[in-house]
Amino acid sequence: MSDTLQLTADGRLRHLLSIEGLSKPLLTDILETAEQFANSRNSRGRKFPLLHGKTVVNLFFEASTRTRMTFELAAKRLSADVLNLQIAASSTSKGETLLDTLKTMEAMQVDMFVIRHEASGAAHFFAQHAAPEVAILNAGDGRHAHPTQALLDMFTIRRHRPDFSKLTVAIVGDILHSRVARSDIHALRTLGAKEIRVVGPRTLIPAGIEDMGVTVFNDLDSGLKGADVIMLLRLQKERMVGAFLPSTGEFHRDFGLTRARLAKLPPEVLVMHPGPINRGVEIEGDVAYGERSLILEQVEHGIAVRMAVMAMILGEDTRFAGTARGDSERSTMDGRAGAGQ
Ligand code: CP
């Protein structure tokens, strides 16, 4: 359903709800557009006028640090006006429904909503009910999808290991509750990763996940053997109803990435984590900020990737990505590329 809802008739992005259903050429196009933004010598500070005159609203019904802030930075660097609805202080607390919140904000002539919600399918719901000129970006819905996280993860991997066909990727930890894992698996498959592994205790691996084209490991050392990239996941205690683990200490002993464990792996292995981390649970603090960790690169790349997605949906011409306002005689205030670009 997402592919028909999130793509235009000619296959361009209309909304971004899920990685599922996006083609390899489209994913590659997003990553290459993000490269343009990331490589621009003006990507820090100065603005691109692609979304000048557009209004973007961040609606985060769940907590977030990096996703919300990098969406806001991305929109501002594209010259959009950005509003952040403070959910706890909004009329949601008086019982206003999601649909009525959408319609109310649409009346303010909003062009794009970035939504995070605890319910799987919330972004789809918004997209189904949004006015034709309004775009919806999914910033994480329940256990379902976190598409921009997967895109920034692919962007980060590609910068270090451009050939996905040679990659074995081990996704480790709480697979069951993870929207990041689902979106990363779809993205890795679409980009042609050689092998995708999920590694964790039986209680945290969803039944039937092999159907997504992954291999399951319940032993960390076996799962990491031969892996090029290790993607660790946070234990999502807020989504756990009942006891999934004897203790976090036991999880750390069996599935935590420690310096000692990492020292046994080849030095070129890359370590990733979408954040926020549980220090001393799925990862030791020294490993999180050690020389093999890409965690802070992932955060930084979130800005360029989110700029790319927003510009591809709302911008007039992403060929403009290499030129910031005032950076070239050919730049124009309305966001259109100058002649010859
Ligand atoms: N990775 C991620 O979604 O982090 P936040 O919850 O801080 O946005």
Side-chain angles (χ1 to χ4, degrees):
M1 186 182 68
S2 11
D3 45 338
T4 51
L5 197 55
Q6 68 184 345
L7 297 179
T8 61
D10 59 354
R12 288 179 295 112
L13 265 188
R14 156 96 181 78
H15 307 286
L16 178 62
L17 308 176
S18 165
I19 296 294
E20 202 174 358
L22 302 189
S23 66
K24 184 173 179 180
L26 183 51
L27 287 189
T28 306
D29 197 15
I30 296 170
L31 299 179
E32 284 173 3
T33 304
E35 273 299 346
Q36 284 186 277
F37 285 118
N39 289 333
S40 164
R41 63 190 169 89
N42 288 309
S43 63
R44 274 175 189 263
R46 293 177 74 184
K47 293 191 178 186
F48 301 82
L50 285 162
L51 267 59
H52 181 67
K54 306 284 187 187
T55 302
V56 176
V57 171
N58 285 321
L59 285 175
F60 279 66
F61 293 86
E62 274 190 336
S64 169
T65 297
R66 64 224 81 217
T67 309
R68 197 189 67 74
M69 295 191 75
T70 54
F71 261 120
E72 183 170 349
L73 266 175
K76 286 180 170 170
R77 287 188 187 170
L78 293 170
S79 309
D81 294 320
V82 183
L83 301 175
N84 292 293
L85 186 66
Q86 303 303 322
I87 300 298
S90 76
S91 291
T92 302
S93 62
K94 301 177 196 163
E96 190 161 56
T97 66
L98 206 51
L99 182 59
D100 293 328
T101 303
L102 168 68
K103 292 297 159 195
T104 302
M105 304 285 311
E106 273 184 355
M108 301 174 201
Q109 299 181 356
V110 168
D111 299 286
M112 176 176 272
F113 288 95
V114 178
I115 178 169
R116 169 172 287 192
H117 200 280
E118 65 273 15
S120 298
H124 280 78
F125 177 81
F126 251 45
Q128 279 164 336
H129 292 91
E133 67 281 6
V134 172
I136 308 299
L137 303 188
N138 184 1
D141 62 326
R143 299 184 194 184
H144 172 239
H146 194 347
T148 56
Q149 179 69 46
L151 289 168
L152 74 89
D153 288 344
M154 298 308 112
F155 183 92
T156 304
I157 292 174
R158 207 173 84 132
R159 282 203 147 186
H160 293 266
R161 302 278 188 276
D163 187 352
F164 280 79
S165 71
K166 293 182 178 158
L167 283 186
T168 296
V169 180
I171 305 174
V172 181
D174 183 359
I175 314 292
L176 181 66
H177 300 99
S178 178
R179 55 196 176 207
V180 176
R182 290 174 59 83
S183 290
D184 276 335
I185 291 168
H186 284 301
L188 287 164
R189 277 194 67 181
T190 303
L191 293 173
K194 184 174 77 178
E195 187 182 352
I196 308 165
R197 302 173 178 174
V198 294
V199 186
R202 287 177 207 285
T203 49
L204 294 179
I205 304 279
I209 195 163
E210 295 88 345
D211 296 346
M212 292 184 77
V214 302
T215 318
V216 174
F217 290 79
N218 299 121
D219 171 73
L220 183 60
D221 292 323
S222 312
L224 297 187
K225 194 171 177 190
D228 303 290
V229 180
I230 305 169
M231 302 176 100
L232 300 160
L233 298 173
R234 183 171 64 88
L235 272 188
Q236 300 201 28
K237 291 183 196 149
E238 74 276 18
R239 294 194 204 288
M240 293 184 188
V241 180
F244 286 85
L245 296 166
S247 69
T248 50
E250 203 162 310
F251 177 84
H252 179 67
R253 186 195 67 204
D254 294 341
F255 292 97
L257 191 62
T258 59
R259 268 178 303 170
R261 216 164 223 147
L262 192 57
K264 292 185 203 156
L265 300 173
E268 60 275 11
V269 169
L270 303 175
V271 175
M272 302 175 69
H273 191 306
I277 63 170
N278 289 311
R279 273 173 180 262
V281 181
E282 67 267 359
I283 190 166
E284 265 183 4
D286 286 356
V287 175
Y289 297 105
E291 58 190 17
R292 297 196 222 175
S293 170
L294 303 181
I295 292 173
L296 296 179
E297 273 187 46
Q298 288 172 267
V299 175
E300 181 177 351
H301 294 160
I303 303 169
V305 163
R306 290 175 173 122
M307 286 173 80
V309 171
M310 289 174 155
M312 288 171 72
I313 293 177
L314 280 190
E316 302 265 335
D317 189 343
T318 53
R319 287 176 299 162
F320 198 73
T323 311
R325 180 181 294 165
D327 188 38
S328 160
E329 289 172 5
R330 293 178 297 175
S331 62
T332 58
M333 292 296 286
D334 69 357
R336 292 170 203 275
Q341 291 204 56

